[in-house]
Amino acid sequence: MAFLKKRISTIEDTGTAGLCRRAELARSWMFEASFPLWSENGVADGRGFWESLDLHGRPLENPVSRVRVQARQVFVFALANRMGWQPKRSLELVRAGLRTLHRACRREDGLYGRTIDLNSQELLDDRADLYDSAFALLAHAWALRAGAGAEALAGGMALSMAIDQRLRCLHNRGRYLERLPATDRVEQNPHMHLLEASQAWHEAARDQRSLLRSQELVGLMESRFIDRELAGLREVLAEDWGPHEDDRFEAGHQYEWVWLLHEHARICGGRVSPAAALLYRKARELTLPNGRLYLSHTLQGDIREPVHRCWGLTEALKAQLALVCSGNTGSIAVANEIFDRLWADHIQGAVSGGWLDRLDASGTSVSNDMPASTGYHIHLAISELLRAEKVVKG
């Protein structure tokens, strides 16, 4: 499992050839180091997946885990399977992960809770959660694509129906309750991930209701979550769509929506929403000259959380690669710069196959462990890099 950590400075080309070399490096890291590490040390002996590893790559055997981690790891190994990494082993992990989702994470009403005990295989926090349910739907979509068959199809169809029946707000098109019992706030992030999951479920199962849901969620984002005066995506609003004290800008989410809107256009065969350009401008405005992103800003543009998370850079990379895949060759150099920052900050200094999730304002790692949840972001971004490589090669 030893992986030679190549220094990114050896890749000087910032054009198409440089992007292809970075894709080759990233694929080697994923296949030779990351998938092996997490398939060996990240698996809790048939009970699911560990929440995190320590900085040396050893499992932190805490039985308490978030449902979203179980779902994201199913996605990761389904992605590995689709990419050709150890097809038999990766499919085994996908099916084992689905069993944990169905046995330990699913409520009687078909929605998914928030945290489980891996030992007892029971929900610890059984409150229905849109964010976790969305990731469970994403997991089923990718499990179906990886060949998990009837179990993935039946589980995903039941979950998709439960989300519409239990969480959909009939009086507000595209709006879903973030959790049950309902609260007095509206959050864009769960809606964003429901869009991602709905797109994936439509592609996997050809489910037309999910396509309709995707269209409604894009409309909700365009009409409610974007603030035209501030020219950016807001995170939290009051139930009546008024201001909320927790509202903020997150550069990573501006970028993430750019990628999702390009995906929406690809899936629907239409044009990219004009909102993508607005969100991209806001994201670039909030990005530091060195390429790093603070976790969040106030609506006035002041730094709110002066830390750098790995996921923000992966979303910046995905957004830039979406532009590359849309024919914007001028975005190749920026995509290379973002990858270099991601590699230098979060991968180069970590144990082989792992990552440093969190940096302080100075760029020094303040990570105490390696969250498994970060793997969803990194592996998806690398898969998009490999897709862009095929596009630019023609």
Side-chain angles (χ1 to χ4, degrees):
M1 206 166 76
F3 178 77
L4 179 61
K5 293 186 183 180
K6 304 172 185 177
R7 292 192 176 277
I8 205 67
S9 59
T10 61
I11 304 178
E12 298 178 356
D13 193 320
T14 59
T16 299
L19 184 133
C20 293
R21 290 186 63 191
R22 287 168 174 84
E24 179 185 359
L25 171 65
R27 185 185 185 281
S28 296
W29 173 84
M30 196 158 58
F31 273 55
E32 297 171 26
S34 193
F35 289 153
L37 173 67
W38 291 91
S39 66
E40 294 169 15
N41 294 3
V43 180
D45 299 326
R47 291 167 289 154
F49 304 103
W50 296 120
E51 179 80 11
S52 59
L53 305 181
D54 69 18
L55 296 179
H56 299 286
R58 299 170 302 207
L60 293 170
E61 299 183 0
N62 183 352
V64 178
S65 178
R66 292 170 295 171
V67 168
R68 67 193 63 176
V69 168
Q70 304 305 309
R72 287 185 179 192
Q73 290 299 79
V74 170
F75 163 83
V76 165
F77 290 113
L79 177 65
N81 179 276
R82 293 283 295 174
M83 296 178 72
W85 179 81
Q86 296 191 18
K88 182 178 179 180
R89 173 60 174 159
S90 57
L91 184 54
E92 287 175 352
L93 291 170
V94 168
R95 286 179 166 148
L98 278 182
R99 287 195 294 272
T100 298
L101 285 174
H102 295 164
R103 181 174 60 231
C105 306
R106 187 167 57 187
R107 293 161 34 115
E108 290 185 2
D109 62 4
L111 297 172
Y112 282 69
R114 304 179 72 180
T115 61
I116 63 169
D117 185 314
L118 293 175
N119 290 336
S120 67
Q121 295 287 283
E122 295 177 347
L123 278 165
L124 295 176
D125 185 343
D126 65 355
R127 288 175 292 176
D129 193 281
L130 177 61
Y131 188 101
D132 292 272
S133 294
F135 270 106
L137 183 59
L138 181 71
H140 282 84
W142 277 83
L144 183 59
R145 293 183 66 185
E151 187 177 12
L153 180 61
M157 291 297 291
L159 174 54
S160 183
M161 291 178 61
I163 289 172
D164 281 339
Q165 292 172 355
R166 299 278 293 153
L167 297 177
R168 183 184 177 92
C169 296
L170 298 179
H171 63 281
N172 202 320
R173 191 175 181 184
R175 162 86 165 96
Y176 287 77
L177 299 176
E178 289 80 3
R179 55 194 58 87
L180 295 176
T183 63
D184 61 353
R185 51 193 273 157
V186 184
E187 301 169 18
Q188 78 77 23
N189 195 16
H191 288 83
M192 178 182 71
H193 285 296
L194 180 60
L195 171 61
E196 179 186 22
S198 299
Q199 291 172 341
W201 186 246
H202 168 69
E203 286 204 291
R206 311 315 301 170
D207 180 57
Q208 292 302 308
R209 288 181 306 170
S210 290
L211 183 61
L212 175 61
R213 185 193 301 132
S214 298
Q215 293 167 338
E216 292 180 345
L217 286 163
V218 169
L220 182 74
M221 182 275 297
E222 292 173 328
S223 63
R224 292 295 192 180
F225 289 120
I226 284 185
D227 188 308
R228 301 290 172 176
E229 291 185 8
L230 297 176
L233 179 79
R234 300 177 70 163
E235 292 290 329
V236 184
L237 296 166
E239 192 175 17
D240 61 359
W241 301 105
H244 193 282
E245 62 181 3
D246 291 337
D247 201 6
R248 58 194 182 274
F249 285 141
E250 294 193 20
H253 286 157
Q254 316 279 330
Y255 280 124
E256 197 163 1
W257 269 102
V258 171
W259 177 73
L260 283 167
L261 291 174
H262 278 81
E263 283 290 281
H264 185 71
R266 178 184 64 80
I267 292 167
C268 296
R271 294 184 177 181
V272 178
S273 168
L278 180 150
L279 296 173
Y280 180 77
R281 286 193 296 271
K282 174 58 72 174
R284 295 298 289 174
E285 174 188 317
L286 297 175
T287 300
L288 294 171
N290 63 11
R292 291 184 178 131
L293 315 175
Y294 285 120
L295 185 55
S296 68
H297 291 77
T298 68
L299 297 183
Q300 293 72 40
D302 299 319
I303 299 168
R304 182 174 176 272
E305 294 175 275
V307 295
H308 308 295
R309 293 286 307 279
C310 179
W311 73 263
L313 279 174
T314 65
E315 299 312 319
L317 180 58
K318 284 163 55 185
Q320 209 66 45
L321 293 170
L323 297 176
V324 171
C325 291
S326 297
N328 187 339
T329 56
S331 294
I332 292 176
V334 181
N336 287 331
E337 291 173 2
I338 296 170
F339 178 83
D340 292 355
R341 173 55 66 190
L342 173 65
W343 185 269
D345 280 359
H346 298 283
I347 298 177
Q348 180 73 46
V351 69
S352 183
W355 40 78
L356 302 175
D357 180 70
R358 183 185 294 263
L359 310 180
D360 65 16
S362 71
T364 301
S365 174
V366 290
S367 300
N368 296 317
D369 60 5
M370 290 193 299
S373 57
T374 302
Y376 147 80
H377 293 284
I378 295 178
H379 295 117
L380 178 53
I382 291 176
S383 73
E384 288 298 287
L385 177 59
L386 299 179
R387 180 160 72 100
E389 179 193 22
K390 292 180 181 178
V391 171
V392 299
K393 281 183 173 179

